[in-house]
């Protein structure tokens, strides 16, 4: 393999879609028209399954999106009938998570990533439309921190930390749901495993619209073209900066301590170490 060429000190750094869409093709599908970039997560070109690799990939992949000046608006969605509704068992086993939790796992794979992953979205300086295409059970910040959030009629939302994995919901969802629902609703949602329909999410103000499943991405593109594209670039980026700043302040303050609570708590109980624990669906004999 030839050595990479050094970046010229006389050339402004940037990234190119034709390069990073190939680099991240095992995680995301990209397409772009008129400066509007559609980015859909997937696992083998079907609905995404949450894995340690996907978790980490968001950080550099979104950095590439943000350093491409041809991207003016981002549409973020999933693939198939589910947004994010199951785990990738092979990935968790690959890194030893079938064994009892140890410090290196809690730090190197969780804390190290999650104190950065929400900011991978918040650091983008372009408007982001989240289009939730079905059931969604973990890492809701991937959608709910964005500027416009719409969902398909088949969307349901629950959180898999406390009642599924049996661990502390401390990776930012404690902040996101508290701010969007109010503290008592958020605690009930996170601690009971409550599942909400798209209509309930709309009524509570977590999302802005519910549309038929077959029309979800078309509606996201319509919003991009009619709400964001006609505005001046400076208006778009400054409005984006205005709306993400409160989230940035909250997560800078609360995310590291929440992740510390989550990682430390796993030393008391770690379900994946149980012989018959179903990693994909977060179910064990004791549940």
């Amino acid at each position: 393999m030839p050595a990479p060429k050094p970046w010229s000190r006389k050339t402004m750094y940037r990234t190119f879609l034709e390069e990073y869409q190939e680099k991240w093709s095992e995680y995301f599908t990209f397409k772009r028209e008129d400066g509007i970039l559609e980015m859909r997560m997937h696992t083998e070109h079907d609905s995404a399954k949450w894995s340690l690799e996907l978790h980490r990939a968001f950080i550099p992949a979104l950095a590439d999106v943000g350093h491409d000046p041809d991207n003016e608006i981002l549409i973020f969605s999933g693939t198939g009938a589910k947004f994010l509704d199951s785990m990738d068992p092979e990935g968790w086993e690959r890194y030893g998570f079938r064994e009892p939790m140890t410090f290196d796992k809690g730090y190197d794979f969780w804390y190290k990533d999650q104190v950065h992953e929400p900011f991978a979205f918040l650091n983008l300086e372009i408007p982001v439309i989240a289009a939730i295409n079905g059931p969604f059970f973990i890492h809701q910040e991937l959608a709910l921190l964005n500027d416009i959030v719409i969902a398909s009629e088949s969307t349901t939302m629950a959180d898999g930390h406390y009642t599924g994995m049996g661990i502390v919901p401390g990776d930012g969802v404690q902040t996101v749901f508290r701010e969007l629902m109010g503290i008592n609703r958020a605690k009930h949602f996170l601690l009971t495993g409550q599942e909400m329909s798209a209509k309930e999410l709309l009524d509570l103000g977590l999302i802005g619209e519910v549309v038929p499943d077959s029309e979800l991405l078309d509606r996201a593109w319509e919003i991009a073209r009619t709400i964001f594209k006609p505005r001046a670039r400076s208006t778009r980026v400054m409005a984006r900066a205005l709306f993400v700043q409160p989230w940035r302040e909250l997560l800078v303050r609360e995310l590291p301590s929440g992740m510390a609570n989550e990682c430390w708590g796993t030393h008391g109980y770690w379900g994946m170490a149980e012989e018959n624990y179903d990693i994909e669906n977060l179910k064990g004999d004791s549940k």
Side-chain angles (χ1 to χ4, degrees), residues 8 70 105 111 168 191 209 223 246 269 278:
S8 171
D70 293 331
K105 295 188 189 77
Y111 186 96
V168 177
L191 296 175
E209 292 182 21
I223 291 170
Y269 171 76
D278 178 357

Side-chain angles (χ1 to χ4, degrees), residues 159-178:
D159 187 74
H161 287 91
Y162 195 80
T163 58
M165 298 179 78
I167 65 174
V168 177
D171 60 357
V173 292
Q174 81 280 11
T175 300
V176 171
F177 285 114
R178 182 195 71 215

Side-chain angles (χ1 to χ4, degrees), residues 133-181:
N133 59 297
F136 190 10
F137 87 116
I138 199 166
H139 281 283
Q140 291 86 358
E141 76 280 353
L142 296 172
L144 299 181
L145 291 178
N146 296 305
D147 300 293
I148 297 287
V149 185
I150 65 174
S152 65
E153 290 177 339
S154 66
T155 293
T156 58
M157 189 178 292
D159 187 74
H161 287 91
Y162 195 80
T163 58
M165 298 179 78
I167 65 174
V168 177
D171 60 357
V173 292
Q174 81 280 11
T175 300
V176 171
F177 285 114
R178 182 195 71 215
E179 293 297 304
L180 295 177
M181 289 183 176

Side-chain angles (χ1 to χ4, degrees), residues 84-152:
L84 190 60
D85 191 46
S86 62
M87 294 282 203
D88 174 20
E90 293 181 4
W92 290 87
E93 292 180 12
R94 187 160 42 245
Y95 296 99
F97 278 79
R98 271 293 195 189
E99 304 163 7
M101 181 60 69
T102 56
F103 173 83
D104 59 312
K105 295 188 189 77
Y107 176 75
D108 290 337
F109 292 98
W110 283 8
Y111 186 96
K112 186 176 180 179
D113 287 353
Q114 190 57 19
V115 296
H116 297 288
E117 181 260 337
F119 294 99
F121 273 101
L122 295 176
N123 289 341
L124 292 173
E125 297 178 337
I126 57 175
V128 183
I129 302 162
I132 307 172
N133 59 297
F136 190 10
F137 87 116
I138 199 166
H139 281 283
Q140 291 86 358
E141 76 280 353
L142 296 172
L144 299 181
L145 291 178
N146 296 305
D147 300 293
I148 297 287
V149 185
I150 65 174
S152 65

Side-chain angles (χ1 to χ4, degrees), residues 23-56:
K23 181 166 64 171
W24 301 113
S25 60
E26 290 200 22
Y27 303 95
F28 307 105
T29 300
F30 295 93
K31 77 171 186 177
R32 185 171 62 201
E33 296 176 9
D34 301 326
I36 302 167
L37 180 69
E38 179 185 287
M39 176 182 182
R40 291 187 293 108
M41 58 182 174
H42 69 87
T43 298
E44 297 182 344
H45 302 286
D46 201 349
S47 297
K49 294 185 176 183
W50 193 244
S51 65
L52 297 161
E53 297 96 342
L54 177 58
H55 193 194
R56 182 159 295 177

